[in-house]
Amino acid sequence: MGDIFSNLGLGFGVVFQFVQWTPAFLGGASIPIPVNILLCLIGALVGTLVGVLPGIGTIATVAMLLPITFGLPPVGALIMLAGIYYGAQYGGSTTSILVNIPGEAGSVVTALDGFQMAKRGRAGPALAIAAIGSFFAGCVATVLIALLGAPLTKIALAFGPAEYFSLMVLGLIFAVVLAKGSVLKAIAMIVMGLLLSMVGSDIETGASRMAFNIPELADGLGFATLAMGLFGFAEIIRNLDAGGETDRKLVQEKVSGLMPTRQDLKETTPAILRGTVLGSILGILPGGGAVIASFAAYTLEKKVAKDPSRFGHGEIRGVAAPESANNAAAQTSFIPLLTLGIPPNAVMALMVGAMTIHGIVPGPQVMQKQPELVWGMIASMWVGNLMLLIINLPLVGIWVRLLRVPYRLMFPSIVVFCCIGIYSVNNAPTDVMIAGAFGLIGYWLIKHDFEPAPLLLGMVLGPLMEENLRRALLISRGDWSVFLTRPLSAVLMAIAAALLILAVLPSLRKKRDEVFVESEN
Amino acid sequence: MNASPGHAPVKSIMPKWVRNPQEFVGGIALMAIAVFALWASSDLQGMRGFSFGAGTAPRMFGFLLLGLGALITVVGVVTEGPHLAKYHWRGPFFVTIAILTFAFTIRSMGMIFAAMAAFLIAACGSPETRWTETLIVAVCLTAFCALLFPYALGLPLQLLPTFMIR
């Protein structure tokens, strides 16, 4: 217990750190400024700002905003990125409540009841409940990360290469099973991501692989480049198809009366609690994340409700539960990343990319060698949630105005912003072209119902998987049974196999599709 | 919705026994990618005893993708599914041109020119573009980026064309 408090203490110490700023114009006088809090605030604000723009999901937002953290020291950059991440999440729910265009998959469910509430002039309470639920879930998740962080790190240190490989296989299988759509196609996307990650030089022999003597490919495909292509450019192109303006019906009523009534609070408290628990669990699971959490929470709420028919017609619990769940999951999905070094979903994969750019390799070693970084980030999550609660409600008016910006002006801006961002990673024009190519590939994938998110996950896990596979086989002298003879590895593999079989079984698949479909109707 | 010119023939190309064209074409494309990757990594060294060579993993995943692609293609034949989605050429075309223009001009012409050009070309991608407001927004965004990236974020970006600096 003592450990946890000292760790959290360390974290809050980092977050509330003051840096003496001595500008020349003050003639030697220095002003203490809380840099990390400011970065957290800016991150949350900018994240919300971009997340609010319809048609831009969380992954695209984080990818687009990656470059603005490059110039910062690692701790500050991570704190800001985390801020951007939950800012984007919150922004997504704002759009779905006000315009019925979910910015991201996670808030599709929020749009169901949230938009109905908005149409009846109850947008204020819907937004407020979303914020309150998110904040509560965020508090619980922060404590959970602090509790689980240290013990999981200890387990991770006992892992050998075989266990790591099996764990990654399990994670990828989980990602496939918990995702929407065809299992087969999702696996294919992961393998394609793994293949793409092989481009560049081989870690052990240094041989150039599939790089075709193009110097820019010698170091491999840039992660940020790929993400911005697949999620930024591809989304833009697809939205242009949809015709942008036609289906944007903004709630015209003024957003007034923010506070939910006492009755609302009474109704939503259990929903928020259930959502938080469900979201926390689904977030920790490898492959889990915000999307599945919000769908599952909505389905659960509908199941326990006395009168399920009210859902879809402006039921406030249909906003509270998924919003709490997706925020809880968004945060607990940091647990596998920070303790095991394995990103459980595409957004976390982006975080790995960001950390690598700053020279940090996430995993148990970071937890031990740079505790201020990890705990600072964890503490900043709580602070960030608090800020979102405080700043967002008064700023709803501004977000509404942002929503009125027509798409015809927004999309060229995003194109330019992404271009500059990609270029600034390496100062390489080739990167911009590669991103453009992946934009077209992403558009094609969307048209054929392939999800690009598993591809990103495979891309990040590729080098790790290959390295551990090689090591495991080297240690076992080429014996493939090592994955089944080492007990821990065998258990992980068995779970993965069982999951895969279950997912393909018709009865469970029907159930899984039900979770997604039912909440959409 | 304006149907793209290439759309109608695509539908008729598909023989009748392909009942799920989306999966069928997707699977074949994946197989093509896998074959390409296998070809690209064919010059790499394979297994040496029980240690992996540089080419072992790419080949392994290449064959895996080939198999998965084949499976998806089979699914495309045996299941019922939606027709190929409509492709529109205008959006993808202009956005791609804008990206390429940016990539080719950023080094020599600097960020201000590249950003303006990319913005205006990308704007052609939507039939709803109105030029006066687009021009105003383009100028504002370029100015904003010119302040944000080099000054506020301290990233080394060249703003002006090379010939103007010298």
Side-chain angles (χ1 to χ4, degrees), chain A residues 163-240:
Chain A
E163 282 80 13
Y164 254 113
F165 180 78
S166 306
L167 185 68
M168 282 183 266
V169 172
L170 176 63
L172 288 176
I173 299 290
F174 249 120
V176 166
V177 175
L178 294 181
K180 212 174 156 180
S182 154
V183 172
L184 192 60
K185 283 169 128 177
I187 297 178
M189 281 298 98
I190 288 176
V191 176
M192 195 165 142
L194 291 173
L195 259 181
L196 285 173
S197 77
M198 309 273 139
V199 175
S201 21
D202 177 27
I203 336 159
E204 271 169 50
T205 60
S208 166
R209 306 198 282 192
M210 301 187 267
F212 308 103
N213 290 327
I214 301 169
E216 280 83 359
L217 283 182
D219 262 347
L221 288 165
F223 185 72
T225 314
L226 196 102
M228 272 194 257
L230 279 180
F231 291 93
F233 290 147
E235 280 295 300
I236 291 168
I237 298 175
R238 198 200 44 178
N239 286 338
L240 281 178

Side-chain angles (χ1 to χ4, degrees), chain A residues 367-381:
Chain A
M367 205 80 162
Q368 293 195 322
K369 283 184 197 147
Q370 290 166 293
E372 76 284 348
L373 195 120
V374 174
W375 294 106
M377 190 163 149
I378 292 170
S380 83
M381 291 176 190

Side-chain angles (χ1 to χ4, degrees), chain A residues 111-133:
Chain A
L112 301 172
D113 281 289
F115 185 62
Q116 293 300 326
M117 282 181 75
K119 261 169 72 187
R120 293 180 191 174
R122 302 235 307 140
L127 288 167
I129 271 300
I132 293 167

Side-chain angles (χ1 to χ4, degrees), chain B:
Chain B
M1 285 276 169
N2 52 330
S4 63
H7 173 61
V10 171
K11 218 175 196 174
S12 56
I13 283 173
M14 285 289 138
K16 272 219 176 85
W17 47 269
V18 176
R19 288 187 291 169
N20 192 342
Q22 233 177 57
E23 308 271 76
F24 186 76
V25 175
I28 287 181
L30 287 186
M31 281 163 72
I33 293 170
V35 169
F36 178 72
L38 285 172
W39 169 76
S41 58
S42 58
D43 57 333
L44 296 167
Q45 192 172 20
M47 295 290 277
R48 284 167 301 172
F50 48 74
S51 84
F52 272 33
T56 313
R59 242 165 269 161
M60 225 166 68
F61 292 125
F63 278 116
L64 200 56
L65 188 63
L66 191 65
L68 288 165
L71 264 176
I72 294 172
T73 314
V74 171
V75 168
V77 176
V78 296
T79 61
E80 211 64 55
H83 285 292
L84 288 177
K86 276 184 194 168
Y87 286 90
H88 300 254
W89 65 271
R90 187 171 180 158
F93 178 77
F94 282 108
V95 170
T96 310
I97 296 290
I99 294 168
L100 288 179
T101 308
F102 183 90
F104 282 114
T105 54
I106 180 84
R107 272 277 164 84
S108 53
M109 300 300 284
M111 199 210 84
I112 293 179
F113 177 85
M116 275 294 270
F119 191 101
L120 296 176
I121 296 171
C124 301
S126 165
E128 290 154 4
T129 298
R130 295 170 207 163
W131 287 102
T132 2
E133 56 171 30
T134 302
L135 265 173
I136 296 168
V137 175
V139 170
C140 293
L141 183 88
T142 310
F144 172 72
C145 287
L147 290 175
L148 177 75
F149 286 97
Y151 295 107
L153 301 174
L155 298 172
L157 276 175
Q158 180 190 326
L159 289 178
L160 295 168
T162 318
F163 63 83
M164 279 174 78
I165 296 173
R166 284 201 186 124

Side-chain angles (χ1 to χ4, degrees), chain A residues 74 106 113 120 138-139 143 150 160 207 209 214 229 261 290 305 332 368 436 442-443 474 487 495:
Chain A
D113 281 289
R120 293 180 191 174
C139 294
V143 174
R209 306 198 282 192
I214 301 169
T261 60
T332 51
Q368 293 195 322
Y443 175 66
L474 207 59
I495 301 174

